[in-house]
Amino acid sequence: MDVTPLLLTFKLAAITTLVLMLIAIPLAYKLAFSSSKVKPLFEALVTLPMVLPPTVLGFYLLVAFSPNNGLGYWLNENLGLQLVFSFPGLVVASVIYSLPFMVQPIQSGMQLVPRSLMEASMVLGKTKWDTLRFVVLPNIKPSLLTGIVLAFAHTIGEFGVVLMIGGNIPGVTKVASIAIYDEVEALNYGNANAYSLVLIGISILILFITFSYRNFSSLNK
Amino acid sequence: MIAINVDIELGEQSAMKSFHLEWKGNSKQFITVYGPSGEGKTTFLRALAGLEKPTSGRIEIEESIWFDSSTGKDIPVQERKLGMVFQNHRLFPNFTVAQNLQFAIKGKDCPILELLISKFELKELLHARPNSLSGGQTQRVAIAQALVQLPKLLLLDEAFSALDSITRNRMQEALCFFKERLDLTVIMVNHDLHETLKLSDTVLLIEKGVIVKSGTPSEVFQNQVRKGKSSTGKLLELKQENGYYLCHVLIGNQIVQLKRKMDQSNQLKLGDSIDIEVS
């Protein structure tokens, strides 16, 4: 069994999760405490990847990132960045696809933080950033962990979007889920089984650690 | 000098929706905001703190304009340099008591930290987590936390409500000590008449979202019941003293103090209606 697709999968999941943390935490903070009338529109847009068939999302990302079209052309011409059939393209697509899986638990956790705690922090002269860092995030650790784990696990399991935007280039875009599909197509059930068992084992391990931590946190409250 | 003249509209979910709060007076004094529940006392504090944005008006504290709708000025809450203890105040649950105090310190350290710990009797609590504290202990830490940042204005929303009477007296003394030491203006929402009379230099009486009366406690609570006129009021407080009952009765905006014989008052309870006629 070639381990490259597995390594590529975990590399993709790790980078996607890190990028998502930078985007999802401020986005969830904004959505949790905004009273803007356009907030439901933003919430709908963030949640959209959760309900759309992955192939639909993959198709439009493929069109958008294509060097022949506006955004893809601009990225290619100005930044020399080609997102179609490349690893950076997979990261961008994965970030968009897994965004709601990280934003939603974090947003829900933030909404449970008592408003009075945040007001108390502001009265003490703390900035919004300090309040997020020292008051909000430390009090939503289980939600934060759930968001991180869900995004990581969801990226490991991606298939449709990855296939549409990345294709099947060994060592570049051929992740474990594509490799399983490939092996089944070639009737190599043994290899497909090996890849699948690794993914199942890793998924169970991640979820076990998450739930153990959540139970430990709730017992120590 | 403190000058506030603001109109505030609250959301649909609030019992009272509009407030007009207007008052001008000296700073560096102990001001009590008194009045029935839900009529604007907390909103008054929140407007001063910058947590409630007035629809129009102006707030000026010691020659510094904090809010002025005509110029669009609205100093953010973080920059108003005040301390505030909320009703049902919550400490930061991820910190110990010591860390809660440390978090509030502006700059490297606070010159009165040890004094605050001693006066508010916090030494034994420093390593405790907020969820292990009683309501009274939480209020003591909350007041110390508000003072540790050395504010010039301290806003207290029923900050002693969870304290027993003995501790309450000690905390009143501690508060008065720091008021003098830090040259503070203290504005406190209070329902306790004795405490209001004891601590206040000025009382603001709020009813239905409007400051209806202000002045010294004796001016605000003076007996305006005229001779020969009978009135009915509600019993606010009943205290046994040297063979008689000392009653505080609310008639309109005035609190009347009267003595009643023991045998006349045995059945009385707080909130009862009492008829008074001054001969």
Side-chain angles (χ1 to χ4, degrees):
Chain A
M1 183 182 73
D2 179 11
V3 293
T4 312
L6 286 169
L7 294 177
L8 200 60
T9 300
F10 294 120
K11 183 180 160 191
L12 176 66
I15 293 174
T16 300
T17 306
L18 284 175
V19 173
L20 267 176
M21 282 173 72
L22 296 175
I23 298 170
I25 292 173
L27 185 59
Y29 188 59
K30 196 76 192 162
L31 289 175
F33 303 115
S34 165
S35 52
S36 163
K37 285 181 180 166
V38 293
K39 177 180 155 180
L41 176 67
F42 282 99
E43 286 180 313
L45 285 174
V46 168
T47 314
L48 199 59
M50 209 178 235
V51 293
L52 271 183
T55 44
V56 172
L57 186 67
F59 170 68
Y60 284 114
L61 287 176
L62 185 64
V63 171
F65 295 160
S66 164
N68 302 322
N69 294 327
L71 177 64
Y73 179 81
W74 186 88
L75 288 171
N76 205 9
E77 285 293 307
N78 294 289
L79 306 174
L81 196 63
Q82 187 175 328
L83 293 181
V84 173
F85 305 121
S86 68
F87 187 76
L90 281 194
V91 172
V92 174
S94 300
V95 164
I96 295 169
Y97 188 44
S98 294
L99 186 65
F101 290 87
M102 192 179 281
V103 169
Q104 289 213 336
I106 296 176
Q107 185 185 341
S108 303
M110 285 177 173
Q111 282 167 336
L112 291 176
V113 175
R115 190 96 184 173
S116 59
L117 267 189
M118 298 171 66
E119 288 182 342
S121 169
M122 290 195 291
V123 168
L124 293 176
K126 305 298 172 191
T127 60
K128 282 186 179 175
W129 165 241
D130 282 342
T131 302
L132 173 68
R133 200 170 138 212
F134 296 115
V135 178
V136 178
L137 292 181
N139 286 299
I140 60 158
K141 279 183 195 161
S143 305
L144 205 56
L145 184 69
T146 305
I148 290 169
V149 167
L150 280 179
F152 189 87
H154 189 245
T155 307
I156 286 178
E158 272 178 27
F159 179 76
V161 174
V162 167
L163 190 63
M164 295 293 280
I165 200 82
N168 184 3
I169 306 169
V172 181
T173 61
K174 187 179 175 180
V175 292
S177 57
I178 306 280
I180 293 168
Y181 180 74
D182 246 14
E183 298 294 348
V184 172
E185 285 269 278
L187 301 178
N188 292 331
Y189 287 177
N191 276 351
N193 188 36
Y195 282 129
S196 301
L197 284 176
V198 172
L199 290 190
I200 290 171
I202 296 284
S203 301
I204 289 176
L205 184 69
I206 291 170
L207 293 174
F208 173 74
I209 293 170
T210 307
F211 285 115
S212 301
Y213 175 78
R214 284 179 63 167
N215 287 344
F216 176 77
S217 303
S218 59
L219 282 174
N220 284 284
K221 263 194 172 178
Chain B
M1 195 262 292
I2 299 175
I4 179 166
N5 182 359
V6 290
D7 290 299
I8 302 168
E9 300 286 333
L10 294 186
E12 286 300 311
Q13 66 272 35
S14 307
M16 273 207 62
K17 291 179 185 62
S18 54
F19 301 85
H20 175 74
L21 300 165
E22 186 177 356
W23 180 73
K24 191 174 175 180
N26 291 332
S27 54
K28 315 291 181 198
Q29 53 171 336
F30 200 115
I31 300 161
T32 295
V33 185
Y34 195 87
S37 294
E39 304 225 339
K41 301 187 298 298
T42 297
T43 305
F44 179 76
L45 291 196
R46 290 178 62 82
L48 278 173
L51 297 171
E52 213 66 71
K53 189 177 177 179
T55 45
S56 63
R58 185 180 153 101
I59 299 172
E60 188 180 339
I61 311 281
E62 293 180 4
E63 289 163 16
S64 165
I65 296 162
W66 284 4
F67 179 82
D68 189 347
S69 58
S70 65
T71 58
K73 189 168 187 180
D74 185 11
I75 304 273
V77 53
Q78 290 94 338
E79 293 169 26
R80 295 196 180 195
K81 291 174 187 159
L82 50 86
M84 185 167 183
V85 177
F86 296 82
Q87 199 175 8
N88 305 318
H89 193 95
R90 285 170 192 264
L91 300 168
F92 302 110
N94 48 312
F95 293 149
T96 61
V97 167
Q99 289 167 330
N100 263 280
L101 295 175
Q102 201 64 39
F103 184 60
I105 293 174
K106 289 198 168 79
K108 280 188 178 167
D109 51 16
C110 168
I112 57 162
L113 180 61
E114 289 305 318
L115 202 54
L116 282 166
I117 291 169
S118 147
K119 289 274 181 188
F120 287 100
E121 302 165 19
L122 304 178
K123 199 165 185 183
E124 305 298 316
L125 306 177
L126 287 176
H127 301 293
R129 290 268 168 191
N131 58 6
S132 67
L133 302 181
S134 68
Q137 288 171 329
T138 302
Q139 284 188 331
R140 278 156 46 199
V141 179
I143 299 169
Q145 191 186 43
L147 287 168
V148 84
Q149 48 172 333
L150 309 175
K152 285 292 159 201
L153 174 63
L154 180 66
L155 306 176
L156 305 172
D157 196 349
E158 297 185 46
F160 294 147
S161 60
L163 298 174
D164 62 84
S165 58
I166 297 167
T167 314
R168 197 170 179 135
N169 279 333
R170 290 207 305 273
M171 293 307 113
Q172 287 168 356
E173 282 167 21
L175 180 60
C176 291
F177 172 84
F178 285 108
K179 178 190 168 294
E180 295 307 315
R181 171 100 188 222
L182 301 175
D183 204 14
L184 268 178
T185 302
V186 179
I187 304 183
M188 183 175 189
V189 165
N190 207 338
H191 282 298
D192 186 284
L193 182 61
H194 271 297
E195 199 165 75
T196 300
L197 294 170
K198 180 178 167 185
L199 299 176
S200 315
D201 300 307
T202 295
V203 176
L204 309 182
L205 193 65
I206 294 191
E207 274 185 14
K208 293 177 183 159
V210 178
I211 298 173
V212 291
K213 203 167 183 185
S214 63
T216 62
S218 59
E219 283 167 356
V220 171
F221 297 125
Q222 70 182 315
N223 182 359
Q224 289 189 349
V225 179
R226 291 183 193 143
K227 277 189 176 181
K229 186 184 164 195
S230 64
S231 312
T232 304
K234 281 206 183 303
L235 181 64
L236 288 182
E237 281 192 315
L238 190 65
K239 237 173 94 178
Q240 203 174 329
E241 270 186 16
N242 305 327
Y244 59 85
Y245 276 113
L246 186 65
C247 306
H248 285 106
V249 182
L250 182 69
I251 302 173
N253 291 335
Q254 282 77 51
I255 291 175
V256 180
Q257 195 180 63
L258 54 100
K259 291 175 182 174
R260 284 173 68 106
K261 287 179 187 163
M262 298 286 267
D263 55 346
Q264 288 178 329
S265 310
N266 282 338
Q267 303 298 319
L268 280 177
K269 47 186 194 303
L270 298 185
D272 278 355
S273 290
I274 291 189
D275 293 323
I276 296 172
E277 186 170 339
V278 182
S279 53

